């Protein structure tokens, strides 16, 4: 069952149309929330042909850039102390920063980051590809991208069957970096959708011929329950009926 971060419930505005939370409704919300894809970026290495550390996004998942950055800061601080003319307060500050950052980043890489990146690479290379459809929405609590998974086919009244939180790589100027160019469409799921004693389900969506890296496990969704409806209405708030003004959302909560 999908669970969201603890937060006050944002219900539909008075007069809002509580439409059924189907593929048609949720893909319409995805189109409203779509962010522009600006600028071009060098394509990533194909995870099926290279080791995981050659894939840019998986290096970030593992924490390699942070580890390397911490090592550089630490080395810079050490070099400042070894200068013939001595160091100053700024040099000691750089050393202290590196001495804190590098061990933290290295510990995270060795204990969890490396394993997470390796598991994602293995899932992305899985031979079996399960066809599905998706709608790309954004959680208002934090704004992270969320992929709703629907059965394959062309039925517009299908209900979502799963949720995958995505690894956000966007910046202020390029918010859509690493995400699909279309707010909805076909997707192939590779990996394992059932958890085991060894860990959570690991599923990598393939969209537009490339992997879209997840930030968490595949979560089944049972849309008939009130908790699921609340979660889906959080992602896609009901639209006000014609002629009825919308009630402003709670401060700090945005649908996009």
């Amino acid at each position: 069952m999908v669970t969201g971060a603890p937060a006050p419930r944002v219900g539909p505005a008075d007069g809002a149309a509580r439409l059924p939370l189907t593929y048609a409704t949720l893909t319409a919300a995805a189109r409203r929330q779509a962010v522009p894809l600006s600028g071009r970026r060098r394509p990533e290495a194909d995870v099926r042909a290279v080791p995981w550390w050659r894939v840019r996004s998986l290096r970030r998942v593992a924490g390699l850039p942070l580890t390397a950055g911490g090592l550089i800061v630490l080395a810079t601080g050490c070099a400042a102390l070894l200068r013939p003319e001595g160091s100053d307060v700024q040099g000691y500050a750089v050393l202290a920063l590196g001495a804190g950052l590098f061990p933290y980043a290295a510990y995270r890489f060795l204990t969890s980051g490396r394993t997470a990146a390796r598991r994602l690479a293995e899932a992305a290379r899985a031979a079996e590809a399960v066809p599905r459809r998706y709608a790309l929405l954004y959680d208002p609590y934090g704004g992270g991208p969320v992929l709703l998974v629907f059965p394959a086919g062309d039925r517009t009244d299908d209900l979502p069957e799963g949720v995958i939180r995505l690894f956000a790589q966007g910046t202020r100027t390029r918010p859509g970096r690493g995400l699909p160019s279309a707010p909805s469409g076909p997707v192939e799921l590779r990996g394992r959708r059932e958890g085991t004693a060894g860990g959570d389900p690991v599923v990598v969506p393939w969209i537009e011929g490339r992997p879209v890296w997840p930030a968490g496990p595949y979560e089944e969704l049972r849309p008939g329950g009130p908790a699921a409806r609340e979660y889906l209405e959080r992602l896609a708030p009901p639209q006000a009926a014609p002629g009825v003004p919308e009630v402003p959302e709670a401060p700090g909560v945005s649908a996009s």
Side-chain angles (χ1 to χ4, degrees):
M1 190 68 177
V2 171
T3 57
R9 185 180 188 277
V10 181
D14 291 340
R18 298 192 67 168
L19 299 174
L21 296 169
T22 61
Y23 181 80
T25 302
L26 293 169
T27 54
R31 288 191 293 272
R32 292 194 299 269
Q33 297 180 17
V35 298
L37 298 177
S38 58
R40 293 188 176 184
R41 197 183 191 200
R42 180 173 54 85
E44 288 191 320
D46 189 340
V47 69
R48 297 166 297 186
V50 299
W52 70 262
W53 60 84
R54 295 272 306 276
V55 181
R56 182 173 56 238
S57 295
L58 293 183
R59 290 197 296 268
R60 293 187 60 194
V61 169
L64 275 175
L66 184 62
T67 304
L71 181 60
I72 291 171
V73 173
L74 180 61
T76 301
C78 291
L81 292 180
L82 296 175
R83 290 183 303 181
E85 63 273 20
S87 183
D88 52 16
V89 174
Q90 185 176 5
Y92 283 105
V94 172
L95 178 64
L97 177 62
L101 179 60
F102 175 66
Y104 162 77
Y107 177 80
R108 178 187 175 278
F109 167 73
L110 292 173
T111 58
S112 61
R114 177 177 54 180
T115 300
R118 186 179 298 159
R119 292 180 70 196
L120 287 175
E122 291 173 354
R125 299 179 187 130
E128 182 182 2
V130 180
R132 290 291 187 268
R133 291 177 294 169
Y134 76 89
L136 177 62
L137 295 165
Y138 295 85
D139 195 322
Y141 304 119
V146 175
L147 207 69
L148 292 180
V149 179
F150 296 83
D154 56 6
R155 291 178 56 118
T156 60
D157 60 348
D158 278 336
L159 300 176
E161 62 182 25
V163 177
I164 304 174
R165 292 181 294 111
L166 299 181
F167 182 50
Q169 305 184 52
T171 63
R172 185 176 295 275
T173 56
R174 296 180 180 178
R177 174 182 289 176
L179 298 178
S181 62
S184 62
V187 57
E188 291 183 344
L189 302 182
R190 296 178 183 268
R192 190 185 66 246
R193 288 189 293 163
E194 297 80 22
T196 67
D200 293 323
V202 180
V203 170
V204 175
W206 280 76
I207 301 174
E208 300 167 348
R210 64 180 180 86
V212 180
W213 300 108
Y218 178 90
E219 300 177 75
E220 289 188 357
L221 182 63
R222 298 178 177 85
R229 171 170 276 278
E230 181 176 346
Y231 177 74
L232 292 172
E233 287 186 346
R234 187 175 89 186
L235 296 177
Q239 297 296 291
V244 178
E246 294 189 12
V247 175
E249 293 179 340
V253 177
S254 170
S256 60

